[in-house]
Amino acid sequence: MALAVGAVRFCGARRGLGHAGLLLLRRPGTRGLAISHSQRQQQHFSSLDDKPQFPGASAEFIDKLEFIQPNVISGIPIYRVMNRQGQIINPREDPHLPQEKVLKFYKSMTLLNTMDRILYESQRQGRISFYMTNYGEEATHVGSAAALDNTDLVFGQYREAGVLMYRDYPLEQFMAQCYSNVNDLNKGRQMPVHFGCKERHFVTISSPLATQIPQAVGAAYAAKRADANKVVICYFGEGAASEGDAHAGFNFAATLECPIIFFCRNNGYAVSTPTSEQYRGDGIAARGPGYGILSIRVDGNDVFAVYNATREARRRAVAENQPFLIEAMTYRIGHHSTSDDSSVYRSVDEVNYWDKQDHPISRLRQYLENRGWWDSEQEKAWRKQSRKKVMEAFEQEERKLKPNPNLIFSDVYQEMPAQLRKQQESLARHLQTYGEHYPLDHFEK
């Protein structure tokens, strides 16, 4: 796919901002920073003009007292490729993907949707303890995952199951993790939906918000030092962007010039907090230029827009060793989690609009039907097939035993320290005395 130069734009800072704050894409191979800090200082000191010599900024003196307005840019535009009817708006932006690949997009998104429905109902029936659906955000997962190399390292937040789905993570593993059974790669030591897979380069999810952001930057810096020719992608929500870890991560990535893609899923709500109470600026993409990070805002319900932006960001991050920020505008149709009731803080009409009028799966299906690549009979057959696949994996993993309780103490230290061994022995004594009060027959011996 050859993107038209100037079509996909990244907001920039210190890299040649225009009046609207939009930086046209440079040609392949060019470096993001035109001159280094030391070169800039040398140029300043060699000049006899009355120009600022401060090392912390590139600016001119003015003689009028004026504060910078927060809305200096009228609003960062939202890049999209398809309209809501699945029609390509600008043929130059069509990624021209083969039928097989687009069908994989669609099947990954719909399979994720089917799995969500079954596991959500499973939690409601008391069969698993917790779940988080991905309703409405499927295009952000699949579009970005498809644009990456399979060896690119992924740091997720907790709503990126579609990335693993696109990387062919088995349904049985999704189920095993949510059931915390003997097949769970985490050995039952994580909450449901805290997936991780070394083989698929997906770092295990942790619950605290935004901790993955500086960790991802460190991984990207290591990849740069190793000249690994790959990127790290770090997913987070607009709520997590309010955490201090986000600031630290953005700043380190920019100053250390790391090949990382910060991917923000702006879905409208951080649990129950709407964006109107989360920030006063122009979303998350507007923050990028302040850190010196090239940024773009895309229609997160348009899988091709997400794909194009992520693919170009990846290409440039590897070629130029610099970070990129993608803000994908989308909507969380489901509750935040099974512990949330979103009807308390938003209307049914609001949710129905996004579910019926601007759903990423519906948009892609219309594109496929417009191309003659999909029809109602195929849809009916696939829905039946996908549900069968999910139910078979569900029933298989539900019957499996839980991991041995002793695994609580393993995989942290190469040699177990005395204090931990003491705890293990204490548990053994407790279970020997009171084991009849625990469902030990459900656990592997």
Side-chain angles (χ1 to χ4, degrees):
M1 176 197 68
L3 289 178
V5 174
V8 179
R9 301 170 181 224
F10 288 87
C11 297
R14 74 176 184 177
R15 293 185 173 95
L17 274 172
H19 175 71
L22 297 175
L23 179 67
L24 298 180
L25 293 178
R26 290 189 174 88
R27 290 186 294 273
T30 60
R31 184 64 185 92
L33 286 174
I35 57 175
S36 70
H37 176 70
S38 59
Q39 287 174 318
R40 187 164 61 244
Q41 283 188 314
Q42 186 177 9
Q43 287 182 354
H44 285 168
F45 284 113
S46 64
S47 172
L48 298 179
D49 296 333
D50 185 19
K51 293 185 177 180
Q53 303 298 323
F54 308 112
S58 298
E60 299 292 333
F61 285 122
I62 61 172
D63 55 12
K64 181 182 178 183
L65 176 64
E66 186 175 5
F67 289 93
I68 298 172
Q69 296 296 321
N71 58 347
V72 64
I73 300 174
S74 59
I76 296 173
I78 302 170
Y79 169 71
R80 69 174 182 169
V81 175
M82 285 190 294
N83 62 20
R84 291 179 181 133
Q85 290 73 46
Q87 300 164 331
I88 300 295
I89 300 165
N90 179 357
R92 296 176 65 193
E93 295 303 303
D94 188 342
H96 297 293
L97 298 174
Q99 178 179 355
E100 181 182 1
K101 187 159 189 170
V102 181
L103 284 174
K104 184 175 181 180
F105 284 12
Y106 186 72
K107 289 186 175 182
S108 296
M109 292 163 67
T110 49
L111 185 60
L112 174 64
N113 189 268
T114 300
M115 184 182 79
D116 276 348
R117 293 182 189 282
I118 290 170
L119 286 175
Y120 181 86
E121 290 303 321
S122 174
Q123 192 281 334
R124 286 295 186 245
Q125 294 165 10
R127 298 161 91 161
I128 61 175
S129 61
F130 179 82
Y131 194 68
M132 304 181 82
T133 64
N134 303 276
Y135 300 148
E137 300 183 48
E138 296 90 348
T140 64
H141 305 181
V142 172
S144 57
L148 300 170
D149 244 21
N150 283 336
T151 57
D152 290 335
L153 194 60
V154 177
F155 283 78
Q157 182 164 300
Y158 45 60
R159 209 185 302 277
E160 290 84 25
V163 176
L164 274 171
M165 184 76 75
Y166 190 82
R167 289 190 172 184
D168 299 320
Y169 191 64
L171 284 170
E172 291 78 9
Q173 283 298 326
F174 281 113
M175 301 298 171
Q177 199 283 323
C178 288
Y179 273 102
S180 297
N181 68 22
V182 291
N183 289 342
D184 176 18
L185 298 177
N186 295 324
K187 301 180 183 179
R189 295 176 295 210
Q190 281 275 20
M191 287 177 63
V193 306
H194 287 52
F195 307 112
C197 182
K198 185 176 181 180
E199 290 179 0
R200 288 169 175 79
H201 306 276
F202 192 101
V203 178
T204 302
I205 291 167
S206 55
S207 294
L209 282 182
T211 55
Q212 76 275 17
I213 298 177
Q215 294 167 4
V217 174
Y221 186 55
K224 172 187 172 180
R225 288 176 61 88
D227 197 20
N229 195 39
K230 67 180 182 181
V231 301
V232 173
I233 188 167
C234 180
Y235 295 91
F236 55 95
E238 82 285 347
S242 295
E243 295 283 344
D245 279 341
H247 161 74
F250 295 161
N251 203 42
F252 271 119
T255 56
L256 296 175
E257 299 178 338
C258 300
I260 184 170
I261 301 170
F262 294 111
F263 194 102
C264 177
R265 298 175 292 94
N266 191 335
N267 64 17
Y269 291 90
V271 191
S272 59
T273 304
T275 54
S276 60
E277 297 177 17
Q278 188 67 238
Y279 52 74
R280 281 291 180 268
D282 183 18
I284 309 305
R287 301 179 192 179
Y291 290 101
I293 297 177
L294 289 170
S295 307
I296 191 170
R297 176 175 288 157
V298 304
D299 182 347
N301 293 346
D302 177 350
V303 70
F304 294 148
V306 174
Y307 174 84
N308 283 355
T310 308
R311 186 183 182 193
E312 181 64 3
R314 187 203 181 277
R315 180 188 69 79
R316 292 189 59 182
V318 170
E320 304 168 14
N321 273 330
Q322 65 172 315
F324 285 78
L325 171 60
I326 297 173
E327 181 182 21
M329 309 305 293
T330 182
Y331 188 83
R332 193 197 78 215
I333 292 174
H335 305 296
H336 172 73
S337 72
T338 50
S339 303
D340 174 46
D341 178 8
S342 63
S343 66
V344 173
Y345 53 85
R346 60 182 183 176
S347 70
V348 174
D349 289 342
E350 177 183 320
V351 176
N352 283 341
Y353 167 79
W354 292 98
D355 191 23
K356 306 299 182 186
Q357 302 298 323
D358 198 6
H359 200 291
I361 291 177
S362 300
R363 191 185 302 193
L364 184 57
R365 180 182 173 183
Q366 289 183 78
Y367 171 85
L368 288 167
E369 290 176 346
N370 293 340
R371 296 293 303 268
W373 292 351
W374 200 250
D375 58 36
S376 58
E377 288 301 313
Q378 289 171 295
E379 177 73 14
K380 183 178 178 181
W382 167 244
R383 291 288 182 175
K384 183 178 180 180
Q385 180 188 350
S386 61
R387 180 173 177 79
K388 181 182 178 183
K389 289 171 66 173
V390 173
M391 287 304 300
E392 285 176 350
F394 174 86
E395 291 167 1
Q396 172 184 310
E397 297 306 317
E398 188 178 35
R399 292 194 294 265
K400 297 288 175 64
L401 293 173
K402 303 295 183 185
N404 189 306
N406 278 320
L407 290 173
I408 295 172
F409 304 97
S410 63
D411 298 328
V412 176
Y413 300 97
Q414 184 175 0
E415 295 183 10
M416 189 178 295
Q419 183 63 26
L420 193 58
R421 189 174 300 280
K422 184 178 178 181
Q423 292 179 36
Q424 186 179 33
E425 292 167 354
S426 176
L427 175 63
R429 289 193 302 271
H430 178 83
L431 292 179
Q432 187 174 10
T433 305
Y434 303 105
E436 62 185 286
H437 300 290
Y438 294 91
L440 295 179
D441 56 326
H442 296 172
F443 289 79
E444 192 175 49
K445 304 301 182 185

PDB file of all heavy atoms in Angstrom, residues 68 76 112 163 258 268 337 416:
ATOM      1  N   ILE A  68      -0.888  31.699  25.939  1.00  0.00           N
ATOM      2  CA  ILE A  68      -1.295  30.794  24.872  1.00  0.00           C
ATOM      3  C   ILE A  68      -2.671  30.228  25.204  1.00  0.00           C
ATOM      4  O   ILE A  68      -2.905  29.728  26.308  1.00  0.00           O
ATOM      5  CB  ILE A  68      -0.280  29.645  24.714  1.00  0.00           C
ATOM      6  CG1 ILE A  68       1.087  30.201  24.328  1.00  0.00           C
ATOM      7  CG2 ILE A  68      -0.760  28.623  23.686  1.00  0.00           C
ATOM      8  CD1 ILE A  68       2.186  29.156  24.350  1.00  0.00           C
ATOM      9  N   ILE A  76      -8.124  18.936  16.235  1.00  0.00           N
ATOM     10  CA  ILE A  76      -7.360  18.011  15.391  1.00  0.00           C
ATOM     11  C   ILE A  76      -8.355  17.173  14.592  1.00  0.00           C
ATOM     12  O   ILE A  76      -9.262  16.562  15.155  1.00  0.00           O
ATOM     13  CB  ILE A  76      -6.465  17.112  16.254  1.00  0.00           C
ATOM     14  CG1 ILE A  76      -5.417  17.962  16.974  1.00  0.00           C
ATOM     15  CG2 ILE A  76      -5.789  16.044  15.407  1.00  0.00           C
ATOM     16  CD1 ILE A  76      -4.588  17.207  17.982  1.00  0.00           C
ATOM     17  N   LEU A 112     -14.555 -12.302  17.967  1.00  0.00           N
ATOM     18  CA  LEU A 112     -14.356 -11.631  19.263  1.00  0.00           C
ATOM     19  C   LEU A 112     -15.701 -11.237  19.860  1.00  0.00           C
ATOM     20  O   LEU A 112     -15.947 -11.422  21.064  1.00  0.00           O
ATOM     21  CB  LEU A 112     -13.472 -10.398  19.068  1.00  0.00           C
ATOM     22  CG  LEU A 112     -13.270  -9.502  20.291  1.00  0.00           C
ATOM     23  CD1 LEU A 112     -12.534 -10.249  21.392  1.00  0.00           C
ATOM     24  CD2 LEU A 112     -12.481  -8.241  19.894  1.00  0.00           C
ATOM     25  N   VAL A 163      -6.464  -8.059  19.560  1.00  0.00           N
ATOM     26  CA  VAL A 163      -5.089  -8.126  19.055  1.00  0.00           C
ATOM     27  C   VAL A 163      -4.604  -9.572  19.116  1.00  0.00           C
ATOM     28  O   VAL A 163      -4.027 -10.102  18.157  1.00  0.00           O
ATOM     29  CB  VAL A 163      -4.161  -7.206  19.875  1.00  0.00           C
ATOM     30  CG1 VAL A 163      -2.716  -7.345  19.403  1.00  0.00           C
ATOM     31  CG2 VAL A 163      -4.621  -5.755  19.767  1.00  0.00           C
ATOM     32  N   CYS A 258      12.498   6.598  21.005  1.00  0.00           N
ATOM     33  CA  CYS A 258      12.203   5.163  21.016  1.00  0.00           C
ATOM     34  C   CYS A 258      11.211   4.792  19.914  1.00  0.00           C
ATOM     35  O   CYS A 258      10.252   5.525  19.659  1.00  0.00           O
ATOM     36  CB  CYS A 258      11.607   4.766  22.367  1.00  0.00           C
ATOM     37  SG  CYS A 258      12.696   5.090  23.761  1.00  0.00           S
ATOM     38  N   GLY A 268     -14.749   7.339  25.072  1.00  0.00           N
ATOM     39  CA  GLY A 268     -15.785   8.193  25.645  1.00  0.00           C
ATOM     40  C   GLY A 268     -15.923   8.149  27.142  1.00  0.00           C
ATOM     41  O   GLY A 268     -16.383   9.118  27.752  1.00  0.00           O
ATOM     42  N   SER A 337     -17.205  -3.161  32.712  1.00  0.00           N
ATOM     43  CA  SER A 337     -16.917  -4.557  33.053  1.00  0.00           C
ATOM     44  C   SER A 337     -18.189  -5.146  33.634  1.00  0.00           C
ATOM     45  O   SER A 337     -19.221  -4.465  33.733  1.00  0.00           O
ATOM     46  CB  SER A 337     -15.769  -4.651  34.074  1.00  0.00           C
ATOM     47  OG  SER A 337     -16.216  -4.212  35.354  1.00  0.00           O
ATOM     48  N   MET A 416      13.569 -20.510  46.118  1.00  0.00           N
ATOM     49  CA  MET A 416      12.547 -19.960  47.008  1.00  0.00           C
ATOM     50  C   MET A 416      13.180 -19.455  48.314  1.00  0.00           C
ATOM     51  O   MET A 416      13.865 -20.207  49.002  1.00  0.00           O
ATOM     52  CB  MET A 416      11.490 -21.019  47.320  1.00  0.00           C
ATOM     53  CG  MET A 416      10.282 -20.467  48.061  1.00  0.00           C
ATOM     54  SD  MET A 416       9.012 -21.727  48.387  1.00  0.00           S
ATOM     55  CE  MET A 416       8.500 -22.132  46.714  1.00  0.00           C
TER      56      MET A 416
END
